[in-house]
Amino acid sequence: MEKKSIGEMVNLICRAVALAMGVAVVTLSCLSRLELRSAVTMLGIGLSCAGIALLEKK
């Protein structure tokens, strides 16, 4: 297993959280188990994580 730097790990975690939040909102919305306020909060968290991942320099 190769070692990763802290920056690479943060990038990977942020990308995973962004994906998970998007999938969770779609799934819960289809099941009619999600309130609008919760959906906006979850999508905001996902978008913030995506922004952090995109801002990291390669």
Side-chain angles (χ1 to χ4, degrees), residues 3-56:
K3 290 189 175 186
K4 295 188 181 220
S5 71
I6 297 296
E8 289 173 332
M9 290 299 291
V10 169
N11 190 359
L12 178 64
I13 291 168
C14 285
R15 290 164 62 188
V17 169
L19 177 63
M21 287 296 178
V23 170
V25 168
V26 170
T27 304
L28 291 172
S29 179
C30 288
L31 295 172
S32 299
R33 296 286 188 186
L34 187 63
E35 295 178 8
L36 180 61
R37 184 175 181 169
S38 298
V40 170
T41 301
M42 291 171 70
L43 289 174
I45 292 169
L47 185 59
S48 298
C49 287
I52 291 168
L54 288 172
L55 284 174
E56 183 180 341

